[in-house]
Amino acid sequence: QVQLVESGGGLVQAGGSLRLSCAASGSIFSANVMRWHRQAPGKQRELVATITSGDNTNYADSVKGRFTISRDDAKNTVYLQMNSLKPEDTGVYYCQVINLGLGVGQGDYWGQGTQVTVSS
């Protein structure tokens, strides 16, 4: 099993920055994918950024050039650095970890979410 705890959300003015953290505990497979998703009020959850255990990254078009996903495997933590924030970035941000392969603990896990609010 894997437990995820997000932190770093808050209220920021447009143009500002925030860094989200997601600390994972439990059984993290060596082959894994870590993701950040977000859900704005009244909208579907959307994938924001992905980083693999090989450090390959991918971003939604709406955040490219502004957000950076990174990971610290020694701490089992994934980060999302968010710069040049816009009001449309407002939402609850969720961390997801996917353990790839077979065995006890394989599958995907979600954090409880952290609120990000960007004021205009």
Side-chain angles (χ1 to χ4, degrees):
Q1 295 295 319
V2 174
Q3 295 78 42
L4 303 175
V5 178
E6 298 110 332
S7 61
L11 173 64
V12 65
Q13 288 189 332
S17 298
L18 284 174
R19 188 173 87 149
L20 305 182
S21 300
C22 174
S25 60
S27 177
I28 306 295
F29 287 14
S30 57
N32 63 74
V33 174
M34 294 182 168
R35 289 173 168 164
W36 285 98
H37 302 252
R38 68 185 179 191
Q39 187 166 19
K43 295 187 177 181
Q44 288 189 328
R45 191 173 296 188
E46 64 170 334
L47 176 61
V48 174
T50 299
I51 186 166
T52 69
S53 46
D55 283 333
N56 294 309
T57 58
N58 196 29
Y59 298 92
D61 287 343
S62 58
V63 307
K64 279 181 181 177
R66 300 188 298 121
F67 290 11
T68 302
I69 189 170
S70 61
R71 57 191 290 159
D72 184 337
D73 289 336
K75 297 180 179 180
N76 278 341
T77 299
V78 59
Y79 304 96
L80 186 68
Q81 178 66 45
M82 305 185 295
N83 299 328
S84 302
L85 282 161
K86 304 175 181 179
E88 51 263 45
D89 294 318
T90 294
V92 179
Y93 282 69
Y94 297 91
C95 169
Q96 180 195 24
V97 170
I98 305 171
N99 276 337
L100 303 173
L102 299 176
V104 176
Q106 65 87 23
D108 70 313
Y109 301 85
W110 292 82
Q112 81 288 351
T114 185
Q115 176 71 44
V116 171
T117 303
V118 184
S119 64
S120 57

